[in-house]
Every structure is written in C-alpha cells, then in structure tokens.
Amino acid sequence: MGITLRHFVDTFVVGYKDQPAAAGDLPAPTAVRAGMPITTGGMQTVQYPDEKIPVPERFRYLPFLLYEEEPDGDREAFDGIRCTACGICAKVCPPQCIWIVQGKGDDGRPRPVSTEFYIDASICMSCGFCAEYCPFDAIKMDHEYELSSYERHESWVYDLQELLHPVAYHAAIHPTDYAREIAEAKVKAEAERKKAAAQAERAKAAAEGGQDLDELKRQKLEARQKFMDERNRKKAEAEAKAKAEDSGDAASSDD
Ligand code: SF4
Ligand code: SF4
C-alpha cells in the first residue's frame, strides 16, 4: 500500500517536475511526446510504439560484432574486423547459439579472422557472456529490441554481414565502455613504446661494446660444456683408478 501510494505521488511530483517543454528538448532519436516525463520517477503509460523510453547504457538485447572504419595496426589486414575467431564467446555461450568459421590463408594455415559468424537469435538468452569474455572487445550487446518477425527460423539466424556494426555505433550506445577501451588502448600503446625504447637501448649498448645477449648465451653454453667434459673426465679417471685397485687386490690375494 505504501509503495503504491509513493508511486502515485511520484507520478505527479517527480513526473510533473521533469517533463520537457517540447519534444525537441529530448535527444534524438528518442521519440517521446512533449509532456511525458523523462525520468523513471512515478508511473506513466508509455504509448509504445509511438513513444519510446531511452534504454540505459547497460541495457542488452542481442550481440553484434565490431569493425574499425579506419583500421590501423594489426587489424588492417582483416578489413578492420576485430574478431580473431578465437572461439571464446562460442565456448562460454550457455545455449551454444554461436557458430564461427575461422579464416585460412593460401597455405591452409588458420588466420586470426572469422570468415563466417552466426548467432541464432531465437536461442540467445541475452546473458551478455559473449561480450563479457571476448578478450578483443569484438562483440557487444545491442540496444535494438524491435526484431519481431513472422518467420521463426532462418530470419533469426544472423550472419556476419548482419552482425557487423561500426565502432562509432558502439561508441554512441556504450560511451562508458568505449572510454574504458580508449584508456586501455593508451596504456597498451605506452607499454609497447617503452618496450621498443628498451630494446633499442639494449641494441645500442651492444653496438657500443656492451654485453650482447646472444654472445652471453653462447658463452654460457660453452662454459657448461667445458664443465661437463671436465666432470666426465674426472669420473672416468676415478672409475679407472678403482678398477685398477680392485685388480691389484685380487692379484695379491692369489699370491
Ligand atoms: S570471443 Fe571475441 S574475438 Fe573471440 S571469436 Fe568471439 S567475438 Fe571473436
Ligand atoms: S548473449 Fe549469451 S546467449 Fe546470447 S550469444 Fe551471447 S553468450 Fe550466447
């Protein structure tokens, strides 16, 4: 009773306070009629499908795959498609509704890209595990939920072409997640820059007469071989000596 009363009061107090002056006050593509509250305070009837409430960033429906519109780095060779066909999403998917075919090069060896990717949306339970576990930020959960269809089979199996979305779309619907990706990419780029600088420093030191790692390795192997040869020689000498002593003892006992 208390909750019902609170909702009833909120409907007038919160809802009235937050209502926009005109439909144009709301961010596109939100199609909410002027006069309709934009917060979830209180209760109001939404005239769906004429009116739609914006979904929160964490809302998830079906997964989609990402491609870079202007790829650089190692994904350039794969048309910017982020998916490396590692198969982790297919393994963690509880209803097993993901099928992946990994690409192969001319030499028949596997390549880090999927040539076919299917998701059976009629089985997908929107758990988000695939997006959660993907190590390459290649699959995300979409906000699109108007997917009704008269057909119950083929049209619900989405292929690579239907699943691919540009990164800009992901950035628009998942701004927080996208900001995290950018921050992580910066940290990774900085770590790679430091690694390259350290390698260049070592090469420079080697060129200027410092210790060369390959040379150190060669010296280590040479020293170990020398040590083992010496050890085997001593062992053989000790065995020969013991044998000679045994034969001497046997000769004196015969006398
Ligand atoms: S986990 Fe990510 S990279 Fe691996 S196959 Fe799935 S979508 Fe592709
Ligand atoms: S959201 Fe869940 S059920 Fe749907 S494809 Fe991803 S892991 Fe599978």
Side-chain angles (χ1 to χ4, degrees), residues 60-75:
R60 57 176 194 256
Y61 199 61
L62 291 178
F64 64 92
L65 293 170
L66 287 173
Y67 70 89
E68 313 271 353
E69 292 132 301
E70 291 173 10
D72 55 0
D74 59 346
R75 298 317 291 170

Side-chain angles (χ1 to χ4, degrees), residues 65 82-90 100 117 130 133-136 138-139:
L65 293 170
R82 283 189 179 180
C83 176
T84 63
C86 69
I88 290 175
C89 56
I100 303 167
F117 200 113
C130 49
Y133 281 90
C134 176
F136 302 100
I139 188 165

Side-chain angles (χ1 to χ4, degrees), residues 11-201:
T11 302
F12 289 98
V13 178
V14 181
Y16 182 80
K17 180 166 62 71
D18 290 336
Q19 67 182 349
D25 291 353
L26 290 170
T30 311
V32 183
R33 203 174 48 201
M36 183 185 160
I38 54 173
T39 69
T40 53
M43 292 188 296
Q44 57 271 307
T45 302
V46 177
Q47 300 297 325
Y48 181 83
D50 296 331
E51 299 169 343
K52 291 173 197 167
I53 293 180
V55 293
E57 181 175 345
R58 66 179 182 277
F59 179 85
R60 57 176 194 256
Y61 199 61
L62 291 178
F64 64 92
L65 293 170
L66 287 173
Y67 70 89
E68 313 271 353
E69 292 132 301
E70 291 173 10
D72 55 0
D74 59 346
R75 298 317 291 170
E76 199 172 350
F78 306 107
D79 303 325
I81 296 174
R82 283 189 179 180
C83 176
T84 63
C86 69
I88 290 175
C89 56
K91 281 199 179 72
V92 299
C93 174
Q96 295 287 286
C97 63
I98 300 178
W99 293 273
I100 303 167
V101 178
Q102 188 174 38
K104 284 194 176 151
D106 295 337
D107 54 0
R109 299 182 69 181
R111 297 176 79 222
V113 70
S114 50
T115 50
E116 290 178 58
F117 200 113
Y118 298 99
I119 293 180
D120 188 340
S122 67
I123 302 176
C124 174
M125 53 198 258
S126 306
C127 64
F129 276 16
C130 49
E132 193 76 28
Y133 281 90
C134 176
F136 302 100
D137 281 314
I139 188 165
K140 299 287 173 187
M141 300 303 289
D142 206 349
H143 286 181
E144 177 61 59
Y145 55 86
E146 295 178 314
L147 302 168
S148 56
S149 144
Y150 287 107
E151 196 274 328
R152 298 179 64 181
H153 301 290
E154 282 80 10
S155 62
W156 284 89
V157 178
Y158 292 91
D159 64 14
L160 188 62
Q161 190 177 339
E162 291 164 306
L163 289 169
L164 279 173
H165 289 40
V167 170
Y169 175 73
H170 159 55
I173 66 171
H174 302 128
T176 311
D177 191 29
Y178 184 66
R180 172 197 58 80
E181 271 176 38
I182 296 293
E184 284 179 4
K186 275 187 189 159
V187 170
K188 193 175 163 197
E190 179 61 15
E192 278 171 4
R193 191 195 61 74
K194 281 186 182 163
K195 192 175 163 191
Q199 275 173 350
E201 195 65 34

